[in-house]
Amino acid sequence: MKDEYLKKQARWLSEGQIGRRQFIKTAIAAGLTVPSALTLATDVLAATPKKGGKARIGSSYGSTTDALDPGTSENGMSQAINYARGNHLTEIDNDGNLIAELAESYEPSNGAKTWIFNLRKGVEFHNGKTMTADDVIATFNYHRDENSKSAAKGLLSAVTDIKKDGDNRVIFELEGGNADFPYIASDYHIMIMPSVDGMIEDANSPIGTGGYIIESYEAGVRTLMKRNPNFFKEGRAHFDEVEFITLADTTARQNAIMNGDVDFIDNVDPKTVALLGRVPTLEILKTTGTQHYTFPMRVNAAPFDNYDLRMALKYAIKRQELVDKILLGHGEAGNDVPVNASMPFLNTELPVHEFDAEKAAEHYKKSGHSGAIQLSVSDAAFPGAVDAAQLIAASAKEAGIEIELIREPSDGYWSNVWNKKPWSACYWSGRPTQDWMYSSAYTADTEWNDTAWKTGESADKFNELVIAARSETDDDKRKEQYWEAQRLLQDDGGAIVSMWASFIHAHGKDLVHDEQVAANWQADGGKVAERWWFA
């Protein structure tokens, strides 16, 4: 009874119904000592969101080639800006659950081939326009258009029709059942945009429904936002202003947080965790999820169109060494599939792709290749990417394989190198379901298939299995389909999934967050601006 009484008093204190002095008096009367009552009051108030202040968020991501078009968002900076200025039909909350956002509810019918989304009423865009079903349909059709360059185009390839039932209900028809479709609706590219006469007139417009309104935007440099006074979410978007700042250089990012020039940074280099942890004004936040570091080989370009050469490189890497020396233990070795134990239906019987000089040399000899193999790399890909590439070159040399490292500029890396050069470094934040991950980066219809593994017997079978698994409701059958899909991808695909990396951030101690922090993306699911506040 005493605990329940104190919980009620704490709730009243957090809601402002009683003051700090009154709370302390009642806590003492309930049997707490004076120091305990003072500490409890401080903890309650610190955990109570407060409005105000300017949050300066330093990010390792961002490029001068970025744009506000959500469909072409290609890094964590663009994602964070999308989440701050806009919203989606659904979202992943900080507990990792899928919840409705611009939708109030959603339900399937017809074996999950039909999905009905009931929209929130009265939500306004920053320009005062009320969001309706027309805006949702126009947004999804923008990404689905046959000429679209959107990264979400492949995710929506199974959508055959979208129609409305009044202003606040949208009905999606799919070519086959898909139990995971509401997850796809949360993808950060599919930010709902305002439409005019059923069309998206300007995808680069800053207008959204989100908690913050863009004041100024300098691609790949900084973005300044102010709080939206008409934001529909209660208890979110607490800052008066938010400034996103690109700090691609690891040392610059570290110095900025240590000097108090920013309040938050992502992608803390594992080498500097101990150093930053000793700064009395800072806290280190580490979350473990689905982030993985890859070295995609484009199978439509020589020499990576050769199966044996790809296999030689897969066996030429000391993956645990990468975890130990690049991540300093903050992660685990990869096995060339974008699936780990945090996701359902991981194939636990896959062969382990670990360093084997004999196997690597055997496959390399069969490939018939000679001379250096070029690997394009920059620390823009992930912290320590250049060092990781040097370790890969060293271990490959033990198997008689020569790798030439091409140091690429950080600025423009995601536009000019990744998904273009035959072999490069990359990171993926991952997705909570296999279908979403495959549809983002591995199926034949996605723009972001950075290995270009789209045709051939194995690739064709893989795509068939992914489609079949979407509508399969029997878990045993779905497991068989996903296990076989992983086997094909690991064996024949062009992805070297080298390691799974924890998200590591640093922030000022006066920057406060909910007890649970999302791990589906960097920076509390990309939503520090919306979810955090100053104590």
Side-chain angles (χ1 to χ4, degrees), residues 321-530:
E321 181 182 48
L322 296 179
V323 174
D324 295 340
K325 294 182 178 179
I326 304 302
L327 302 182
L328 299 184
H330 298 289
E332 60 185 32
N335 198 30
D336 298 335
V337 290
V339 187
N340 69 359
S342 72
M343 302 165 68
F345 308 114
L346 168 66
N347 186 338
T348 56
E349 297 179 1
L350 288 174
V352 177
H353 284 176
E354 179 48 281
F355 179 73
D356 188 321
E358 290 186 8
K359 283 186 178 180
E362 179 183 345
H363 280 289
Y364 186 63
K365 183 178 180 180
K366 287 175 67 177
S367 76
H369 183 271
S370 62
I373 303 171
Q374 292 188 338
L375 170 56
S376 295
V377 66
S378 163
D379 280 343
F382 58 83
V386 174
D387 290 342
Q390 290 172 340
L391 290 173
I392 289 173
S395 62
K397 190 174 182 179
E398 294 181 35
I401 304 171
E402 182 184 356
I403 294 176
E404 178 188 359
L405 301 186
I406 308 297
R407 295 285 295 268
E408 303 282 1
S410 292
D411 187 45
Y413 181 83
W414 297 107
S415 297
N416 303 324
V417 179
W418 173 75
N419 216 9
K420 291 182 174 63
K421 295 293 181 72
W423 193 20
S424 64
C426 177
Y427 87 98
W428 284 93
S429 292
R431 304 295 189 270
T433 69
Q434 286 197 49
D435 182 67
W436 192 0
M437 187 67 242
Y438 296 148
S439 299
S440 296
Y442 291 92
T443 53
D445 51 10
T446 178
E447 290 285 325
W448 279 10
N449 188 327
D450 57 10
T451 62
W453 188 61
K454 299 182 178 184
T455 59
E457 184 178 349
S458 293
D460 291 345
K461 180 62 176 176
F462 170 83
N463 281 273
E464 291 172 6
L465 287 165
V466 171
I467 293 171
R470 284 176 186 159
S471 57
E472 182 54 68
T473 56
D474 184 306
D475 278 353
D476 289 336
K477 292 181 180 178
R478 205 176 196 203
K479 173 185 173 181
E480 290 179 8
Q481 291 163 337
Y482 278 139
W483 276 40
E484 177 64 6
Q486 290 167 71
R487 187 193 66 76
L488 292 167
L489 183 60
Q490 187 206 40
D491 179 63
D492 190 56
I496 293 176
V497 179
S498 61
M499 45 187 161
W500 294 83
S502 299
F503 296 120
I504 310 176
H505 322 80
H507 64 87
K509 287 186 175 179
D510 59 343
L511 196 59
V512 187
H513 53 79
D514 290 327
E515 182 177 356
Q516 184 65 38
V517 174
N520 58 308
W521 302 107
Q522 287 269 15
D524 199 356
K527 296 201 172 187
V528 167
E530 180 183 298

Side-chain angles (χ1 to χ4, degrees), residues 3-4 127 306 331:
D3 289 345
E4 291 301 318
N127 61 3
N306 185 297

